[in-house]
Amino acid sequence: MAGNEHKLIVSGCIGAGKTTAISQLSKIRVVSTEAQNNDIQNSSKAQTTVAMDYGELSLDNGDRLRLYGTPGQKRFDYMWKVMAPGSLGVILLLDNQRKQVLEELQEYLAVFQSFIQEQRMVIGVVRSNEYHYPSVGDYYAYLRSVQLQAPVFSIDARRRSDIVLLINALLSQIEMKIKLQARSVS
Amino acid sequence: MLAKTLQLAFHGLDNHDEVWIRSVFNIALSRLKHQWELGTQERAQVLISYPGCLPEIKDHHHHLLVMIQKDDDRQIPGTLVLPQPLRSQAFLQLLNRCGDEIEQGTSGSQANYRDQTTPLEASANHPEQTAPLLVLPPYLHWVNVVHQALAAQQDVAVLVGGEPCYVINNRTRRIAALCGAVSPLRPSYLVHQWVNYSDEQLQQWQTVPYQLNDEMLRLPAERWWSLDSLLWHFGLKCALQKRLMLPPKRMAYRLWRWPDFGELGAATDEPAIAAALSAAYLEPQEVVSLADTELTKVQRFLQAALVCNYLLQRSGVASDQDLDELALNDKKTESKKQELEQEKESSLGILGVIRNAFNLKR
């Protein structure tokens, strides 16, 4: 009998490293829908994801963890909404190089609000070593200003350990919520 | 209620403030009393700017002017004040007040927005939003002052022996050492140095507001280190030396933000400790049980978080109020409880299997 399937979403702006992050985790060769980037104004990448990236892992109990990467461009934002339902959680990658990064965060928060409210979202900020502003503290200040809470880490999407850190934080949040809920009803 | 849509515009705001206002404005539109949109300076009824920009604003009498300024700055007659640091509740309340004034045709009034403490504004002072400083031991008084200065968006210098030895850039939360400038100190060496100062020596350190000059701002990037990272490691080392006051037993803590493990690196169980502490006010022993870890690790974590000003605290036993927020509202029958327990075991089991796949088993 086939095992159960679990879904994890990696979202974020164009060029933030979503495809790279999924490649770090997937045990299969990542299925990518890359096309020539016609949005040079927003990113200098030659190629970019236009539909989704897909990777997966087989788990010890026969289940499968499916990893989906959303396209980064705003014009594909309908894909974010299509892909999110039923997933375990969302890893959001933001690029500190981008001038409107806080505004982009706001757009993602609007789409993934239910995930952040249920403590099923973590945020990784790339290139914060080169671009110090906004600082991680600024992201927290922003989240507090809109009364939301999520872990924010400065990461390098090319480092597997950084992506695994995001997974660890996401799983820890979900586990803690389950344990605290169970404790409150017992 | 006004039928028409009111327009808000900005003049001369720096990037940080403008992005903040745009973001909060867009998210909170539906919560405002009146209909608002962002508009041009020429057509907007409300214009947000700084006092220093007032001479540049043409036809400023046509606008309801809002000045972003610090609490102790003198209010300009005929303007409303949006206090710095910016807070969402204060901003939303200000827009509602502007809408009311325009509706009533009283926009020329000179009332001071800050004088009107309403329930909304009071809620903006809730610890969750403002993260009040917790009391640190006297030898860490300088750290407390650093946090206060950064909260007031000021650059600061730490004086050692009366001379500026470290400067901190508020915008980037990075610190540079001015002493030992010939050969830049490594962060780990700096932490080691701090830990080796006696309590009496550290107690004499002073923190003062400081204007970073061009020369300092041009210091190479490798001379600026993350303040949070230094304070975190300093807190951990102090805890290892049993130097900080241990958290009182009957005190409950909550994290208002996670440490940046991306920069600090994290032991496998530290995200679990952080997750527990950010979910509810908890006593150290409860964290031990929820995160399945050791008390000494939790205490070290708490003390480092204390030095970094990431913690909120509440006296007495952690109440179940926070936990109730997380609970389902209906009354649970015994069979329902069993069902929930099974669901819990099943969900935790799946998460454990996923942890295994990433070698994250604790």
PDB file of all heavy atoms in Angstrom, chain B residues 79 149 158 243 248:
ATOM      1  N   THR B  79      -0.074  71.163  13.402  1.00  0.00           N
ATOM      2  CA  THR B  79       0.220  69.831  12.864  1.00  0.00           C
ATOM      3  C   THR B  79      -0.174  68.765  13.884  1.00  0.00           C
ATOM      4  O   THR B  79      -0.305  69.059  15.074  1.00  0.00           O
ATOM      5  CB  THR B  79       1.716  69.654  12.546  1.00  0.00           C
ATOM      6  OG1 THR B  79       2.452  69.695  13.771  1.00  0.00           O
ATOM      7  CG2 THR B  79       2.214  70.739  11.612  1.00  0.00           C
ATOM      8  N   ALA B 149      18.724  52.866  23.751  1.00  0.00           N
ATOM      9  CA  ALA B 149      19.126  53.802  22.686  1.00  0.00           C
ATOM     10  C   ALA B 149      18.706  53.271  21.320  1.00  0.00           C
ATOM     11  O   ALA B 149      18.196  54.026  20.482  1.00  0.00           O
ATOM     12  CB  ALA B 149      20.630  54.020  22.728  1.00  0.00           C
ATOM     13  N   VAL B 158      29.904  53.010  23.209  1.00  0.00           N
ATOM     14  CA  VAL B 158      30.158  52.476  24.548  1.00  0.00           C
ATOM     15  C   VAL B 158      31.517  53.021  24.981  1.00  0.00           C
ATOM     16  O   VAL B 158      32.524  52.849  24.276  1.00  0.00           O
ATOM     17  CB  VAL B 158      30.172  50.933  24.535  1.00  0.00           C
ATOM     18  CG1 VAL B 158      30.454  50.389  25.936  1.00  0.00           C
ATOM     19  CG2 VAL B 158      28.841  50.396  24.024  1.00  0.00           C
ATOM     20  N   ARG B 243      27.492  33.617  36.007  1.00  0.00           N
ATOM     21  CA  ARG B 243      27.697  34.994  36.381  1.00  0.00           C
ATOM     22  C   ARG B 243      26.390  35.776  36.418  1.00  0.00           C
ATOM     23  O   ARG B 243      26.214  36.657  37.237  1.00  0.00           O
ATOM     24  CB  ARG B 243      28.629  35.613  35.364  1.00  0.00           C
ATOM     25  CG  ARG B 243      29.252  36.890  35.816  1.00  0.00           C
ATOM     26  CD  ARG B 243      30.405  37.165  34.904  1.00  0.00           C
ATOM     27  NE  ARG B 243      30.932  38.472  35.084  1.00  0.00           N
ATOM     28  CZ  ARG B 243      31.924  38.941  34.360  1.00  0.00           C
ATOM     29  NH1 ARG B 243      32.469  38.203  33.433  1.00  0.00           N
ATOM     30  NH2 ARG B 243      32.376  40.149  34.571  1.00  0.00           N
ATOM     31  N   PRO B 248      14.488  33.450  38.387  1.00  0.00           N
ATOM     32  CA  PRO B 248      13.805  32.934  39.573  1.00  0.00           C
ATOM     33  C   PRO B 248      12.892  31.769  39.186  1.00  0.00           C
ATOM     34  O   PRO B 248      12.362  31.737  38.098  1.00  0.00           O
ATOM     35  CB  PRO B 248      12.978  34.129  40.047  1.00  0.00           C
ATOM     36  CG  PRO B 248      13.605  35.310  39.422  1.00  0.00           C
ATOM     37  CD  PRO B 248      14.215  34.856  38.150  1.00  0.00           C
TER      38      PRO B 248
END
